[in-house]
Amino acid sequence: MVIDTSPLEGLLGTMLEVLLDKFDDMERKLSELQIELKEHREEVERNRIPDCVSPTSATPPLDSTTTTPTTTTTTQSTVTDPQIYASCKDAPTNVSGVYLIRINDTSAPFKVYCEMESFEGGWIVFQHRFDGSINFYRNWDQYRDGFGEVDSEFWLGLEHIHQLTTARAHEIVIEMKDFEGNYGYARYNGFQVGSESEQYRLENVGSYSGTAGDSMTNLNKKAQFSTKDRDNDGYQSTHYAAYYAGGWWYTSGTYSNLNGLYKDDSTVKSMFWIQFKNDHRGMRFTRMMIREL
């Protein structure tokens, strides 16, 4: 007796075709996801690496980039050079990266990110934001001690900034770029932060130069630092650190809020620099750096 298997074979063939079609569809979707992931990583890398600028240029170039940090890990910062220096200005190299510095012979060394190419190099970066991965709406202890990783988004810590700027005279450069790609910088030929007992008062902001406009001198100079749990703005009616959702040198208000919320928006809670474009537009990238004079 001969059994006709053609209907079964036809069914199996149809099921095989359906499975192959599904595998092809899964392979296509996987390929699309890989492309999207690659594009996302490239976009994050472009945002993280600031444009190389010349402090003497009226219109800094926006297409060239600086050397990338030695490591991009967010859990551990690898030191570029195991030697310990007094400042980034003393490091005998033009390679940007993580270095160990010590303020004096009796203090403990700590890690900093040294920018060695932009603005003739030798800068200690103490604030860096480029993708919103780190929450900057933090309490007093965190702003005092620092948070994040120095080769990623981070805040170095008010105590370190105080010790650095009181041990020796420093200048400061503040870089920024909005979500439309507009770049600017503000440079001040003096910068000093007081001690914790002085509420990390912004003791000195020197003369301004740059392309972003001066948004620090009028309302921030001589102001004490405020956080969401420490109201030092001097005004009982409003807690400005909560109002602006950041940690900063607030008084009756502020023209700058670079530790505000990371978002593409124009509100008082965004990380803005009003004189840049005369509005509260949020920034896609900011970097604050000091250098010994």
Side-chain angles (χ1 to χ4, degrees), residues 86-90 119-124 164-173 187-192 204-207 209 289-293:
S87 71
C88 291
K89 195 173 182 180
D90 293 335
F119 299 94
E120 299 93 34
W123 297 89
I124 297 172
L164 286 165
T165 58
T166 54
R168 291 177 287 274
H170 281 73
E171 60 179 322
I172 183 172
V173 164
R187 186 170 185 171
Y188 300 88
N189 63 5
F191 185 76
Q192 183 180 347
N204 182 40
V205 176
S207 299
S209 63
M289 309 185 292
I290 53 175
R291 182 173 64 182
E292 181 182 348
L293 290 169

Side-chain angles (χ1 to χ4, degrees), residues 134-275:
I134 295 295
N135 175 25
F136 272 66
Y137 191 32
R138 300 201 176 215
N139 63 31
W140 180 266
D141 290 351
Q142 291 169 314
Y143 267 101
R144 178 193 62 206
D145 301 335
F147 51 85
E149 292 294 329
V150 295
D151 53 358
S152 182
E153 286 204 336
F154 77 100
W155 172 262
L156 183 61
L158 287 164
E159 186 59 32
H160 283 321
I161 299 169
H162 156 65
Q163 293 177 8
L164 286 165
T165 58
T166 54
R168 291 177 287 274
H170 281 73
E171 60 179 322
I172 183 172
V173 164
I174 303 169
E175 295 182 285
M176 64 202 73
K177 184 189 289 186
D178 64 20
F179 283 86
E180 297 177 2
N182 300 305
Y183 171 88
Y185 72 93
R187 186 170 185 171
Y188 300 88
N189 63 5
F191 185 76
Q192 183 180 347
V193 173
S195 65
E196 184 173 18
S197 64
E198 299 167 313
Q199 309 303 312
Y200 296 117
R201 183 191 306 274
L202 185 53
E203 298 289 358
N204 182 40
V205 176
S207 299
Y208 161 83
S209 63
T211 61
D214 180 7
S215 291
M216 282 286 281
T217 303
N218 290 335
L219 291 178
N220 306 113
K221 187 176 181 180
K222 298 299 181 181
Q224 296 177 337
F225 201 87
S226 289
T227 59
K228 63 182 180 179
D229 62 334
R230 186 77 67 91
D231 185 0
N232 290 323
D233 57 50
Y235 287 81
Q236 295 182 352
S237 59
T238 304
H239 181 9
Y240 281 103
Y243 179 76
Y244 289 109
W248 200 248
W249 296 276
Y250 301 113
T251 54
S252 59
T254 185
Y255 292 141
S256 55
N257 190 41
L258 298 187
N259 290 335
L261 302 182
Y262 187 96
K263 58 181 182 176
D264 184 6
D265 199 357
S266 295
T267 69
V268 296
K269 296 185 184 299
S270 64
M271 40 189 287
F272 61 79
W273 186 271
I274 284 184
Q275 299 299 332

Side-chain angles (χ1 to χ4, degrees), residues 24-35:
D24 288 341
D25 187 54
M26 291 175 61
E27 185 176 7
R28 177 182 59 79
K29 289 182 179 179
L30 179 60
S31 178
E32 291 175 353
L33 287 173
Q34 288 175 334
I35 292 173

